[in-house]
Amino acid sequence: MEFELEGPVVEWRGPAPFYFVQVSAEDSEDLKEAAKGVEYWGQVPVLARLGDVEFRTALFPKGGRYLVPLKVAVRRAAGVEHGEVVTVRLDVVRG
């Protein structure tokens, strides 16, 4: 099942800064339902598309929502900066 969602690019500081697209609560609920049986440790494996950049990743649960991790290479290739609102397409990966 494919999802198209819009959200802000947010920064989470740890030992190094990490960037994510924050998924809305409503979209997170829909994703959780679609991911039944493929979740592991709360994470959901997906094939993602940001602009013309396609990549595999796993959604992280945080505060009742999911976060889409954006590696530096993905952000650079898509020309995405912190604070931007972007559109991401996600397809939950099964097996």
Side-chain angles (χ1 to χ4, degrees):
M1 177 176 230
E2 186 171 289
F3 294 86
E4 181 175 297
L5 52 97
E6 192 175 86
V9 176
V10 296
E11 182 180 7
W12 176 34
R13 291 210 172 258
F18 294 96
Y19 294 88
F20 300 89
V21 174
Q22 188 174 38
V23 179
S24 72
E26 182 179 317
D27 286 330
S28 292
E29 283 299 318
D30 292 342
L31 280 161
K32 186 173 187 171
E33 183 67 30
K36 283 187 177 178
V38 297
E39 277 184 292
Y40 58 94
W41 295 76
Q43 297 181 349
V44 177
V46 295
L47 178 62
R49 183 174 210 73
L50 178 62
D52 293 331
V53 181
E54 189 172 272
F55 58 102
R56 286 188 178 264
T57 190
L59 306 180
F60 284 76
K62 176 99 170 120
R65 295 180 170 198
Y66 285 111
L67 299 173
V68 182
L70 298 178
K71 293 181 179 180
V72 171
V74 169
R75 285 187 297 111
R76 285 185 183 155
V80 171
E81 298 291 330
H82 174 257
E84 270 186 69
V85 175
V86 297
T87 300
V88 180
R89 289 182 178 82
L90 301 174
D91 192 14
V92 175
V93 178
R94 301 196 180 272

